[in-house]
């Protein structure tokens, strides 16, 4: 084993970034992932869009399907975290009971779990409209948009709340990194 491999940090954790579409979850996750990799951590980002394409294809956007999607992602995140990977999960997960079930899965397995609320107001998200979802919803082309005509239950007591509309991506990632360091995970 060379000295480089000995430097790798093997304490896993799931860091779930919840928030509205276009809140900045994925951007912050990738920014933090880069920083953690530079420090020698094993890191994976479970991007919600990629997961829906490859792992949960066939699920729709009903409450039941959204719950199933979150539970499957939670299972995968827990598996990775238990195996020494910092697993960043920028996934909306609009329902509190779904997020709580994922937290309980991690508690039962002993894997660290951190919930981050990227608390960007819907007005800012609809201006950003990264994927054009708000425009499509406004035009009547789609319905069931989280935070507009479908529920989003904000976390009551997340481990960290990020106001991404008042700070840069780097500042947001740094705040999350500081929390990880405080908990002995970075």
């Amino acid at each position: 084993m060379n000295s480089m491999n000995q430097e790798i940090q093997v304490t896993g954790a799931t860091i779930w970034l919840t928030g509205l579409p276009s809140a900045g979850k994925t951007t912050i996750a990738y920014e933090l992932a880069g920083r953690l990799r530079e420090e020698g951590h094993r890191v994976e980002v479970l991007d919600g869009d990629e997961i829906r394409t490859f792992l949960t294809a066939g699920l729709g956007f009903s409450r039941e399907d959204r719950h199933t999607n979150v539970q499957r992602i939670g299972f995968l995140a827990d598996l990775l975290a238990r195996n020494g990977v910092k697993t960043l999960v920028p996934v909306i997960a609009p329902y509190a009971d779904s997020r709580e079930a994922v937290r309980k899965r991690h508690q039962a397995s002993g894997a660290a779990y951190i919930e981050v609320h990227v608390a960007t107001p819907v007005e800012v998200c609809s201006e950003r409209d990264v994927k054009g979802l708000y425009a499509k919803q406004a035009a009547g082309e789609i319905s069931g948009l989280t935070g507009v005509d479908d529920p989003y239950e904000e976390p009551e007591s997340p481990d960290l709340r990020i106001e991404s509309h008042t700070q840069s991506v780097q500042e947001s990632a740094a705040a999350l990194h500081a929390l990880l360091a405080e908990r002995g995970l970075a």
Side-chain angles (χ1 to χ4, degrees):
M1 186 180 223
N2 67 34
S3 61
M4 178 123 179
N5 287 343
Q6 291 173 341
E7 297 296 316
I8 290 177
Q9 303 292 317
V10 292
T11 305
T14 294
I15 300 100
W16 197 295
L17 295 93
T18 178
L20 296 174
S22 297
K25 301 177 299 296
T26 303
T27 306
I28 293 166
Y30 278 108
E31 178 71 23
L32 179 62
R35 183 168 176 182
L36 290 171
R37 281 190 189 106
E38 287 173 8
E39 294 173 356
H41 298 272
R42 294 180 185 160
V43 182
E44 288 294 336
V45 177
L46 300 182
D47 183 299
D49 294 332
E50 289 179 9
I51 294 288
R52 274 200 175 264
T53 300
F54 296 105
L55 190 65
T56 60
L59 289 179
F61 291 90
S62 67
R63 192 187 205 299
E64 185 180 331
D65 280 0
R66 289 178 192 260
H67 179 77
T68 299
N69 187 51
V70 168
Q71 296 317 297
R72 288 182 185 174
I73 295 167
F75 172 83
L76 181 57
D78 179 58
L79 182 69
L80 289 166
R82 283 186 285 124
N83 284 280
V85 179
K86 300 286 186 311
T87 308
L88 307 178
V89 187
V91 172
I92 295 169
Y95 301 110
D97 61 346
S98 297
R99 294 190 305 264
E100 184 58 25
V102 171
R103 179 184 293 279
K104 284 181 176 162
R105 167 182 287 286
H106 282 73
Q107 286 171 341
S109 77
Y113 181 82
I114 293 177
E115 183 179 74
V116 180
H117 181 205
V118 183
T120 309
V122 68
E123 300 78 23
V124 176
C125 294
S126 65
E127 284 172 24
R128 290 178 182 171
D129 204 8
V130 178
K131 297 170 197 157
L133 297 174
Y134 293 92
K136 285 180 183 173
Q137 191 276 337
E141 294 171 27
I142 62 168
S143 63
L145 181 59
T146 301
V148 178
D149 60 352
D150 211 53
Y152 177 72
E153 299 170 357
E154 290 193 4
E156 290 179 16
S157 54
D159 297 287
L160 179 66
R161 195 176 310 276
I162 292 175
E163 309 277 344
S164 79
H165 55 294
T166 65
Q167 61 189 29
S168 71
V169 172
Q170 292 76 16
E171 289 169 329
S172 297
L176 184 42
H177 189 277
L179 176 65
L180 293 175
E182 183 181 299
R183 301 218 176 152
L185 298 168

